[in-house]
Amino acid sequence: MAVVVKTPATSAGPLNVARIREDFPILAQTVRGKPLVYLDNAATSQKPRQVIDAMSRVLEEHNANIHRGVYEFSERTTAAFEEARVKVARLINAPSEREVIFVRNATEGLNLVAYAWGRDNIKRGDRIVTTVLEHHSDFVPWQQLAKEVGAEIAVVDIDDDGRLRRDQMSAELRKGAKLLAITHTSNGLGTVNPVKDIAAEARAAGATVLVDVAQAVPHTPVDVQDLGADFVAFSGHKMLAPPGSGGLWGREAILEKMRPFLYGGDMISRVTVKLTEWNELPWKFEAGTSSYVDAIALGAAIDYLNEVGVAKIHAHELSLVAYVLPRLQEIPGVTVYGPKNLESRVGVVSFNIEGIHPHDVATIFDREGVCVRAGHHCNQPLMTRLGVPATTRASMYLYNTTGEMDALVSAIHAAKKVFGV
Amino acid sequence: MDDMYRDYILDHYKNPRNFGELEGATHTYHDSNPLCGDEMTMQLKIGDGHVDDVHFTGKGCAISQASASILTEEVKGKTLEEVKAIDRDHVLANLGIPISPARIKCALLGLKALKGAAWGLTAWPGEEVKR
Ligand SMILES: Cc1ncc(COP(=O)(O)O)c(C=O)c1O
């Protein structure tokens, strides 16, 4: 199939990948004597020197617990933490940083909504609409909630190109829904869903709209107001920040009405023996000592992404897909899953090699220095839909090169040679 | 030669021994590896305390399939007590290739299913009954 490269209008000039790679110390590593080819970015990204330094700076220069001390170090750390919150708010165009809650990862953000909002708002007989593209972290919480309260869950299917079936989505929403839980970008196939249109239909049906933006924020510009979302959740570790940093954004009016998720220190304004008053937003949802070093480093990661330009990163990933997709498709025995063109997608390519299990593929790739994910990608309903137990997934980011795409193709030939297929 | 995907490993993968449904099986156990979605069923036909026949069915990677195939060749004719006594080190030694930590579960899936069958289990203690 012919692939047409369409560079998004927002991009101005290509990335200087060679220059970018210098910022990532790990990329200079070798694996068994071969250069590291890191293509597991949908699982987690590597970290630039600027982010590593930001973490060291906190720990070496002014570490102290936040929101507590009345001394300079605590004030400095608190200021850096709150500054990172403002950076997150700006990145996703949140109306206010009061709506940005620091969590450990997307999973925690999604569960926060499932517990603190879901348990009070989803009742017996209510409908939850979601999709077969969801990561388990945006599927299991709703499945379990539905079981617990006796709600109904509708799972919208995809077509054979890995695109959501829009007709089915509209039909499900027309039947009425209390919640739409939808992934912006599929971690298994790289599909970008038309969330803005779908969210408008969902709101018209009276649904609250939750969007899993874990694979979106790192790779494409995301504007929560433009999307028409009520909640979004993402993980910092997939966007150059360390694990332990992540964000949940929710509309202030909804967050204000929600009960807290975890109880403890920092989330209160006053505690007596008889009762407790909650702290104001966003701290009402940040019980206990936050992963403030990680959150501050997330701020540094956002600075880095802004400097490079997220739209440019997206265009770069698409150029890699445009390069590698036809090369994969011409290898006998290789089946590519998901979108076969560059329309509404990111740099995730899932495939299988006939006669070789993905685990064996990944083991052989590893010996070529090529790191990919093999398995179900926390997407078991999607794997079932595709009719396979697992796939091999290569996922790209700003530092990947066409040379690394060639390494991927060579690794496939190496695997085929070993297995004689 | 490849140190992991040796010819005999690939041969067992492509031409698994004792593969398919076993008619008249007395012991059957199904197991899976949730990490990669591999599935395996081991079936034993025990007569007079000995393994008269053994078959396995399943889908999975070369390591799990070869390991199971090799295991079935070995246990035929053994007593049930001997089957129960087979340990992981023995299976790994028999496999004869270096197994990285990430692949240990693949290499031992056949043994796990075989043991479940030999002990007459429907589920491992502490695990929910499957299916
Ligand atoms: C689309 C999507 N949602 C949610 C998650 C969960 O992220 P985390 O494990 O960081 O909570 C992932 C991670 O793989 C993902 O790809």
Side-chain angles (χ1 to χ4, degrees):
Chain A
M1 177 173 305
V3 170
V4 187
V5 189
K6 264 205 326 200
T7 311
T10 40
S11 89
L15 296 189
N16 186 345
V17 177
R19 170 69 200 78
I20 286 171
R21 289 181 70 87
E22 289 172 12
D23 289 334
F24 291 77
I26 205 168
L27 297 180
Q29 297 273 329
T30 53
V31 180
R32 280 174 271 282
K34 307 223 167 134
L36 170 71
V37 176
Y38 186 76
L39 294 174
D40 197 14
N41 293 288
T44 199
S45 71
Q46 300 300 348
K47 323 302 172 198
R49 170 61 62 201
Q50 289 82 341
V51 167
I52 299 167
D53 286 348
M55 299 182 79
S56 306
R57 265 203 309 280
V58 183
L59 295 172
E60 288 179 14
E61 294 174 16
H62 56 85
N63 179 51
N65 207 333
I66 52 171
H67 301 146
R68 287 173 174 77
V70 187
Y71 47 92
E72 186 193 323
F73 279 16
S74 175
E75 285 170 356
R76 278 173 66 186
T77 308
T78 304
F81 179 72
E82 293 303 331
E83 198 183 309
R85 195 189 306 278
V86 173
K87 288 176 184 174
V88 171
R90 291 211 182 109
L91 180 73
I92 59 174
N93 196 29
S96 157
E97 65 268 18
R98 281 167 50 80
E99 301 174 331
V100 173
I101 298 153
F102 278 124
V103 287
R104 274 184 309 139
N105 48 40
T107 302
E108 185 176 311
L110 295 163
N111 275 278
L112 192 159
V113 178
Y115 281 94
W117 179 86
R119 261 73 181 167
D120 287 334
N121 288 279
I122 305 283
K123 300 272 164 11
R124 169 167 296 278
D126 283 347
R127 300 183 79 249
I128 298 171
V129 175
T130 185
T131 86
V132 75
L133 287 172
E134 301 314 303
H135 186 279
H136 292 165
S137 64
D138 193 38
F139 186 75
V140 182
W142 310 119
Q143 182 193 53
Q144 294 305 309
L145 172 65
K147 265 192 175 174
E148 207 176 297
V149 305
E152 189 190 318
I153 187 156
V155 182
V156 174
D157 198 11
I158 50 172
D159 64 21
D160 290 339
D161 208 33
R163 307 278 182 194
L164 266 192
R165 288 196 35 202
R166 276 299 275 115
D167 51 336
Q168 200 185 16
M169 174 60 85
S170 298
E172 288 298 345
L173 290 172
R174 270 197 306 273
K175 288 187 212 162
K178 210 52 187 287
L179 172 71
L180 168 69
I182 185 172
T183 194
H184 181 292
T185 301
S186 158
N187 63 304
L189 300 177
T191 317
V192 174
N193 291 322
V195 170
K196 184 177 176 173
D197 283 1
I198 296 172
E201 282 177 26
R203 277 200 316 280
T208 296
V209 177
L210 172 140
V211 187
D212 175 355
V213 294
Q215 294 294 346
V217 175
H219 304 282
T220 54
V222 169
D223 177 333
V224 295
Q225 298 185 61
D226 183 57
L227 278 183
D230 294 305
F231 293 107
V232 307
F234 65 91
S235 294
H237 69 90
K238 294 182 196 288
M239 50 185 286
L240 311 183
S245 62
L248 171 71
W249 168 83
R251 281 187 199 278
E252 188 166 337
I254 303 177
L255 293 174
E256 286 287 8
K257 277 197 234 140
M258 280 160 60
R259 59 165 133 156
F261 178 36
L262 299 175
Y263 300 101
D266 233 22
M267 51 78 65
I268 53 90
S269 67
R270 194 169 67 97
V271 180
T272 68
V273 174
K274 289 249 168 67
L275 56 90
T276 298
E277 287 168 15
W278 312 132
N279 200 340
E280 58 185 299
L281 288 177
W283 305 292
K284 171 173 133 185
F285 293 105
E286 291 179 358
T289 298
S290 293
S291 292
Y292 58 83
V293 177
D294 302 320
I296 292 167
L298 173 59
I302 292 172
D303 288 343
Y304 191 94
L305 289 171
N306 284 335
E307 196 158 309
V308 175
V310 180
K312 272 201 200 177
I313 292 173
H314 185 215
H316 172 67
E317 286 181 24
L318 289 184
S319 73
L320 295 176
V321 174
Y323 180 83
V324 81
L325 208 49
R327 285 170 173 77
L328 292 182
Q329 286 175 297
E330 76 190 21
I331 304 174
V334 169
T335 305
V336 175
Y337 304 98
K340 309 298 184 302
N341 56 37
L342 297 188
E343 237 13 70
S344 304
R345 68 166 299 147
V346 295
V348 170
V349 178
S350 252
F351 61 93
N352 271 330
I353 309 173
E354 199 182 340
I356 319 180
H357 189 282
H359 265 192
D360 295 318
V361 172
T363 293
I364 294 169
F365 278 24
D366 179 43
R367 297 184 307 194
E368 304 291 318
V370 178
C371 307
V372 293
R373 174 86 186 263
H376 53 61
H377 322 295
C378 300
N379 271 148
Q380 278 182 327
L382 174 61
M383 294 297 118
T384 304
R385 168 63 178 80
L386 297 174
V388 295
T391 69
T392 306
R393 178 187 72 188
S395 51
M396 299 93 171
Y397 211 4
L398 70 168
Y399 35 66
N400 290 122
T401 65
T402 46
E404 291 178 317
M405 298 300 105
D406 290 335
L408 172 67
V409 170
S410 303
I412 293 175
H413 288 297
K416 289 184 55 150
K417 186 153 168 257
V418 168
F419 273 75
V421 293
Chain B
M1 188 170 79
D2 200 292
D3 61 346
M4 189 163 169
Y5 295 100
R6 289 170 181 258
D7 289 345
Y8 68 91
I9 296 286
L10 293 176
D11 181 49
H12 274 281
Y13 171 58
K14 291 178 181 173
N15 311 295
R17 322 295 197 265
N18 305 307
F19 191 85
E21 281 289 318
L22 177 61
E23 215 156 285
T26 54
H27 294 61
T28 296
Y29 189 77
H30 173 85
D31 213 326
S32 63
N33 177 354
L35 187 69
C36 52
D38 285 0
E39 302 277 337
M40 184 155 314
T41 301
M42 275 278 178
Q43 294 185 296
L44 295 170
K45 191 156 142 193
I46 307 290
D48 206 15
H50 285 75
V51 178
D52 286 344
D53 207 354
V54 53
H55 271 204
F56 80 104
T57 49
K59 257 184 145 173
C61 64
I63 304 305
S64 70
Q65 300 298 295
S67 175
S69 174
I70 292 170
L71 198 53
T72 57
E73 285 194 314
E74 193 198 345
V75 300
K76 250 186 224 181
K78 279 201 184 334
T79 68
L80 204 50
E81 293 316 307
E82 285 170 331
V83 173
K84 287 179 185 172
I86 298 173
D87 65 12
R88 52 179 269 155
D89 290 345
H90 177 82
V91 169
L92 294 177
N94 251 4
L95 204 51
I97 53 171
I99 295 289
S100 68
R103 303 300 299 275
I104 278 278
K105 281 195 169 158
C106 310
L108 296 177
L109 182 59
L111 177 66
K112 206 170 163 230
L114 178 69
K115 290 253 184 159
W119 285 95
L121 302 180
T122 47
W124 288 103
E127 285 180 17
E128 274 177 50
V129 175
K130 290 176 187 147
R131 266 146 247 268

